[in-house]
Amino acid sequence: MGSFLNVVASRTVEERPWWGGERSRCDSCGRELTALELIPIVSWFALSGGCRSCGAKIPLRYLLVEVGGATIGSLIAWRWGVSVTSAFAAVVAAGLFLNALTDLYSGFVYDLFAWGLGAAGMIMRIGGGWSALLDGLLGAGLGFAVIAVIILVSRGGMGWGDASLMAGTGAALGWQLIAWGLYSGFMIGGVIALGLLLFRRVRRKDAIPLGPFLAVGGIVSMLTGTWFYSFLGMSVSWPWG
Ligand SMILES: [Zn+2]
């Protein structure tokens, strides 16, 4: 899934079609890649991170994205096994992963993917009945409202794409997990931004895209939310509880 979502994200950003016979090629020499060269993670190591024909380096991000996808998938399987919750979580994680990648590659959140995540979340919530649907609406409202307030107060610190992304994420996660997800995302983003400042990889006025951190916060919240709320003495609603 990580490898596939990477292709979808890259082709979206480059405005190329996702499907329709286009084969994967070396970014440098354009040679069509064989099936053996497209095995996630394994191929990167087997090829020593370079193209067999032209020797151009295969960007490390391919490996990182594949390892990231495998890690998230493994955590979901470990957390919920074969269950409705796992299926729900896998769809939500895939949506968040895709939004994080397009934001990293282009600096933009694509509304299509943000709203698509929300729509998928609401459709899956039908299985949990009215209370689950209401939870999705509250989550979408909360996610959107928090970012909207920040945009209005900071006058341009964040984009409306981030508000779309958090509305979609909230619809999928519900109000409790989006609250914990926003908190986690801001904390992770803050710590990493501080690190980048300390190591002088960015300057104080540089913009760092927040979308990927919010997406990671959503995934962290999904995996840890029930523990966090049970620590507070609260239970979390369908499908996470
Ligand atoms: Zn090549």
Side-chain angles (χ1 to χ4, degrees), residues 26 29 51 54:
C26 169
C29 68
C51 170
C54 70

Side-chain angles (χ1 to χ4, degrees), residues 144-158 182 186 210:
F144 189 86
V146 168
I147 306 295
V149 167
I150 294 173
I151 291 173
L152 296 175
V153 170
S154 72
R155 296 203 197 121
M158 291 174 77
L182 282 163
F186 283 123
L210 195 66

Side-chain angles (χ1 to χ4, degrees), residues 34-46:
T34 63
L36 274 177
E37 290 172 294
L38 290 167
I39 305 167
I41 302 175
V42 175
S43 292
W44 197 90
F45 286 105

Side-chain angles (χ1 to χ4, degrees), residues 141-210:
L142 182 61
F144 189 86
V146 168
I147 306 295
V149 167
I150 294 173
I151 291 173
L152 296 175
V153 170
S154 72
R155 296 203 197 121
M158 291 174 77
W160 288 104
D162 294 317
S164 295
L165 177 59
M166 285 299 98
T169 308
L173 293 182
W175 76 267
Q176 289 167 301
L177 293 201
I178 189 65
W180 177 228
L182 282 163
Y183 181 81
S184 307
F186 283 123
M187 293 307 281
I188 295 166
V191 167
I192 290 179
L194 266 181
L196 291 172
L197 273 174
L198 284 175
F199 289 100
R200 298 183 186 281
R201 299 296 297 271
V202 295
R203 277 172 311 199
R204 208 164 57 81
K205 299 247 162 168
D206 288 344
I208 300 172
L210 195 66

Side-chain angles (χ1 to χ4, degrees), residues 96-110:
L96 286 169
F97 205 67
L98 183 57
N99 277 291
L101 292 176
T102 55
D103 199 356
L104 276 177
Y105 297 165
S106 72
F108 289 102
V109 171
Y110 285 70

